[in-house]
Amino acid sequence: MRGDHDAARAIAAAALRRDPGPMAVVESSSHHVYVGSDAVVKLIGAAGHSRLDREIALAGDLPAGLTAPLLSAGFHRSGTRDLRYACYARVPGAAPGMGLPGADGVMARSLARAAVGRLRRLHAWIPSDAAEQVLRRPLDHGGFTSRCALRAQVEELAALDRSGTVPRRLLDGLGAIAERAPLYAQARVPVHADCHWDNWLVRDRSVTALLDFEWARYGEPADDWFFLARFSGPHTEAVLDVIARMTGSAPETLRAQCEVREAAHLAADLRIALGDPDAHARMAADRLRALDELIVGRYWWRHTR
């Protein structure tokens, strides 16, 4: 970590052409991220996953003002290690956080309207030929692609679960969602595909940026509406209402789209967790709680009874 901190400062200094000042490490599940007053540096081992490459390749082509400007990117030698890095300009604001803690209903609706507006700009974006090639690169995103694929995920999950970690009623519930899922999902517009509230910046109740385009690809708008609504905590219903009104979506259709996408993500994550239970015990417990909410609590339909 000390070496990475020094590397981040050196990268930021080169991009800014001056001392970047103090840089603090912030939590990230897949990178080392360092934040200063004017720059943010993301680091990963050069042999690590390639999703940062996707983000870097798209950065200069995204709609203006949507995300943080990329200052520099490349490789950096730190001791005996090669690091892949991206250095961004620091955009004012802070992440509102998973579940929108501290937000009241008025603020949640205001943020949702701003976020939907930004996402609609992304969905309407016509990428350059180079960016389109990046968006179409294969990516195991864990989301919904087709009824057959979701059926197969549920069957593989059941086959992996030799110890009965996933209760039978939850597996049956996943299977039922798969059976009524659409035949396939279209890959027709650019989507962020990870736009939960930890990936937004907000200042004075205004959205300033959408971050982390590592999972960006072609998909359906619902791929983004799911993340926006599901991670709004007690404001899920308000956010669903905002999305439906701003997009002209039928509320029942929107709920069904979100339900099938959550089923696909949970099935994919639980397969990973059961494949290596020692490394993913925390993830397994979290996803099992969410699966119980989805199936037993009928999360997307609980307020329609």
Side-chain angles (χ1 to χ4, degrees):
M1 293 292 289
R2 177 71 250 175
D4 285 356
H5 181 269
D6 292 342
R9 283 184 49 79
I11 291 164
L16 297 171
R17 298 184 179 180
R18 58 175 172 78
D19 190 307
M23 300 194 74
V25 64
V26 298
E27 184 177 354
S28 171
S29 61
S30 58
H31 297 85
H32 287 167
V33 180
Y34 295 86
V35 178
S37 60
D38 298 304
V40 177
V41 178
K42 296 175 72 170
L43 300 172
I44 189 171
H49 65 69
S50 62
R51 297 196 306 272
L52 184 57
D53 292 345
R54 178 180 296 252
E55 178 175 284
I56 291 167
L58 293 174
D61 201 51
L62 290 166
L66 182 65
T67 191
L70 180 67
L71 299 178
S72 66
F75 294 91
H76 182 89
R77 187 73 174 177
S78 177
T80 60
R81 294 190 304 147
D82 287 321
L83 301 172
R84 182 69 162 126
Y85 75 86
C87 179
Y88 295 92
R90 174 78 182 271
V91 175
M98 293 287 199
L100 295 177
D104 59 19
V106 173
M107 182 176 180
R109 283 182 174 272
S110 177
L111 293 180
R113 284 192 290 270
V116 171
R118 295 237 174 180
L119 287 168
R120 293 186 74 184
R121 285 176 57 202
L122 174 63
H123 300 163
W125 169 47
I126 300 176
S128 67
D129 290 345
E132 181 170 357
Q133 291 179 17
V134 173
L135 290 167
R136 293 198 183 280
R137 287 177 191 165
L139 181 66
D140 183 15
H141 54 77
F144 175 71
T145 56
S146 70
R147 182 188 296 173
C148 287
L150 183 52
R151 280 176 180 161
Q153 282 189 33
V154 177
E155 291 169 0
E156 290 172 21
L157 177 60
L160 273 173
D161 190 22
R162 300 183 183 90
S163 61
T165 300
V166 185
R168 187 72 237 179
R169 71 181 185 280
L170 300 186
L171 286 171
D172 290 344
L174 277 176
I177 292 174
E179 289 306 313
R180 59 179 180 265
L183 286 176
Y184 60 89
Q186 297 179 342
R188 58 189 179 89
V189 300
V191 296
H192 183 278
D194 197 28
C195 53
H196 53 72
W197 290 106
D198 272 349
N199 280 337
W200 294 89
L201 293 180
V202 171
R203 185 185 189 189
D204 297 331
R205 298 191 172 216
S206 297
V207 166
T208 57
L210 173 59
L211 307 177
D212 292 343
F213 279 76
E214 295 182 13
W215 294 99
R217 55 181 174 83
Y218 273 103
E220 295 184 348
D223 296 324
D224 285 337
W225 306 146
F226 157 69
F227 277 98
L228 204 61
R230 182 61 179 89
F231 298 101
S232 291
H235 306 293
T236 292
E237 290 301 310
V239 173
L240 280 172
D241 182 61
V242 169
I243 295 168
R245 290 175 183 273
M246 290 186 67
T247 63
S249 303
E252 295 79 9
T253 300
L254 179 59
R255 290 177 187 277
Q257 291 173 328
C258 289
E259 180 183 58
V260 75
R261 279 157 178 81
E262 182 166 19
H265 281 292
L266 291 178
D269 284 355
L270 282 167
R271 283 169 52 218
I272 293 171
L274 292 181
D276 190 354
D278 293 335
H280 299 292
R282 181 178 176 182
M283 182 171 77
D286 177 72
R287 302 311 188 266
L288 282 172
R289 283 192 296 271
L291 185 57
D292 189 80
E293 286 185 336
L294 176 68
I295 303 300
V296 178
R298 300 189 73 242
Y299 186 84
W300 296 100
W301 307 98
R302 56 190 174 157
H303 292 289
T304 63
R305 298 168 185 169

